[in-house]
Amino acid sequence: MNDWPLTLMAVHAHPDDEATGTGGVLARYAAEGIRTVLVTCTDGGCGDGPGGVKPGDPEHDPAAVALMRRQELEASCEVLKVGHLEMLDYADSGMMGWPANDAPGSFWQTPVEEAAARLAELVRLYQPDVLVTYDENGFYGHPDHIQANRITMAALAMTEVTPKVYWTTAPRSMMQRFGEIMREFGADAQEPDPAEAAAIAEIGLPDEEITTWVDTTAFGGQKFDALAAHASQGENIFFLRMGQERFTELMGVETFVRVQDTTGAAVPESDLFAGLR
């Protein structure tokens, strides 16, 4: 028997990502006495600055934004009861195609082996039983999300640790409704561009390919409050417009695809720790 507690590790790209896709499981499993570890890979410096100043604006100060977002991340972790926060602090690479993609020191420009070696040290330290990150396309093609997947899988290959590994995803049925929900809450009053609507509809997986559906409804309030802690990015966090009750109704189940398992637990499953307890 191992002498460490059951442990969940989530590897995310930016401050606020922890709340969007995994806020429910982080809160739920912390409440169940499981040790929770969050690894945030970048400093979030390509986010909005005070007053909504956008990246590329002469008044946008990435270092000041990074400091502000770290404070917000710490507040989010307190809401979610995350036990351990680890920051790799690579420079935020921005969205695909931004000049920040090519900046020396950006996460996207960092050799996978280099970042993976740092993450591998954390994997050895915390010995996670379950590890969660993005899929190979970073869910929607964000370079830092893609890089987080790459370094996570490379880090695991560098260690002897064999957790259950999950990639975050969304049911295709939900993605088909997503545009309608956004318009309902005023995200875009115009009819969607057909190409954009088609791209959204292709995000995630067909429902039958999702292996793991975790009910986090009871923790919807914490998840919403964790998102709200990232106040500087409120303009970009569409979900906050819903209000807590509707948010919990729509976001009360978090979904994953299991990509590595040594337990033999049957799928579909409703618990990331199925077969471990």
Side-chain angles (χ1 to χ4, degrees):
M1 295 290 291
N2 299 323
D3 58 2
W4 53 78
L6 283 173
T7 300
L8 166 65
M9 176 180 282
V11 180
H12 281 291
H14 312 98
D16 77 30
D17 290 334
E18 81 290 341
T20 306
T22 59
V25 293
L26 286 169
R28 170 179 163 167
Y29 289 120
E32 292 180 8
I34 287 171
R35 181 172 62 168
T36 54
V37 181
L38 170 64
V39 181
T40 301
C41 296
T42 81
D43 60 11
C46 285
D48 288 357
V53 176
K54 302 296 183 184
D57 188 290
E59 297 183 7
H60 186 273
D61 181 351
V65 172
L67 177 60
M68 174 178 64
R69 297 195 72 185
R70 182 185 182 105
Q71 294 168 344
E72 292 175 339
L73 177 61
E74 290 171 349
S76 171
C77 286
E78 186 172 344
V79 170
L80 297 173
K81 307 303 181 187
V82 170
H84 303 270
L85 170 62
E86 300 283 355
M87 297 195 69
L88 300 186
D89 266 335
Y90 289 106
D92 190 340
S93 311
M95 301 295 286
M96 191 68 81
W98 286 17
N101 294 175
D102 301 318
S106 71
F107 190 38
W108 187 238
Q109 288 298 315
T110 301
V112 169
E113 296 76 11
E114 176 185 320
R118 293 182 60 198
L119 180 57
E121 286 302 308
L122 296 175
V123 170
R124 294 187 188 100
L125 173 64
Y126 289 108
Q127 299 281 324
D129 300 280
V130 172
L131 194 153
V132 176
T133 191
Y134 315 99
D135 64 21
E136 293 165 310
N137 190 46
F139 187 59
Y140 65 97
H142 193 297
D144 287 332
H145 292 213
I146 294 170
Q147 188 77 330
N149 168 277
R150 290 173 177 172
I151 75 161
T152 298
M153 304 313 290
L156 289 172
M158 294 176 179
T159 75
E160 300 299 317
V161 184
T162 56
K164 295 178 77 177
V165 179
Y166 294 88
W167 294 346
T168 57
T169 191
R172 194 69 56 76
S173 58
M174 174 61 182
M175 296 311 302
Q176 291 172 346
R177 295 170 47 213
F178 192 66
E180 298 173 13
I181 296 168
M182 290 182 70
R183 290 193 297 281
E184 176 186 345
F185 286 91
D188 186 351
Q190 300 178 350
E191 285 298 311
D193 174 82
E196 183 177 320
I200 290 175
E202 288 302 310
I203 293 175
L205 289 173
D207 293 30
E208 64 271 15
E209 293 182 21
I210 292 174
T211 63
T212 311
W213 305 69
V214 183
D215 184 355
T216 61
T217 305
F219 303 92
Q222 279 177 262
K223 182 172 178 174
F224 184 87
D225 290 346
L227 274 173
H230 297 280
S232 69
Q233 308 307 304
E235 182 181 330
N236 302 321
I237 302 176
F238 154 75
F239 299 109
L240 293 176
R241 305 181 195 183
M242 298 180 179
Q244 181 176 310
E245 184 175 348
R246 185 69 190 279
F247 173 84
T248 300
E249 176 188 332
L250 293 170
M251 305 292 290
V253 175
E254 292 181 351
T255 51
F256 307 87
V257 59
R258 194 174 80 190
V259 296
Q260 179 176 301
D261 173 59
T262 58
T263 69
V267 293
E269 59 188 359
S270 59
D271 179 8
L272 297 178
F273 288 83
L276 292 169
R277 56 178 177 169

